[in-house]
Amino acid sequence: MSTHRNKRVSLPAQPEPMPLAKQLADVEETIRKYEVTLALFKNRQADLKKQLNPPTPEKLWPCRYCSAQLRYSEVYKHTQDHFESEVLLG
């Protein structure tokens, strides 16, 4: 009492596979898009870090012998110049 009939079911035609060169080009294009997106995010991240931690102005140090304001790296040389001029002038 089986009502089953042997009917052939046609499968849909499978599309032709994409050529490897096209696949490679698509992958390379996707990689380029992700690299651009990553660069944009890194730039944005750097901007946000600058906003959170703004650069502090370099501290200036007064000279003991004159009214000069010097960066820390300049203090020694400047003081040495004063010392040498005192020794040479007497």
Side-chain angles (χ1 to χ4, degrees):
M1 301 273 213
S2 172
T3 59
H4 178 72
R5 295 186 185 162
N6 291 335
K7 289 188 176 180
R8 290 193 176 192
V9 177
S10 61
L11 296 174
Q14 294 201 355
E16 291 184 24
M18 192 183 306
L20 289 178
K22 173 74 171 121
Q23 290 179 11
L24 180 60
D26 288 350
V27 168
E28 288 174 342
E29 179 63 24
T30 302
I31 289 171
R32 275 194 293 279
K33 288 178 184 177
Y34 279 115
E35 287 173 341
V36 168
T37 303
L38 179 62
L40 291 172
F41 276 112
K42 284 187 175 184
N43 287 341
R44 181 68 179 138
Q45 182 183 31
D47 291 343
L48 291 173
K49 282 183 179 179
K50 285 179 188 173
Q51 288 176 10
L52 289 174
N53 303 317
T56 56
E58 191 169 7
K59 182 177 179 183
L60 297 177
W61 302 78
C63 174
R64 296 181 195 171
Y65 305 103
C66 66
S67 61
Q69 295 289 315
L70 308 162
R71 289 190 299 246
Y72 186 77
S73 61
E74 300 170 335
V75 170
Y76 178 79
K77 173 78 172 93
H78 183 82
T79 306
Q80 192 70 24
D81 291 344
H82 277 295
F83 181 75
E84 288 173 0
S85 65
E86 279 185 23
V87 169
L88 293 176
L89 292 176

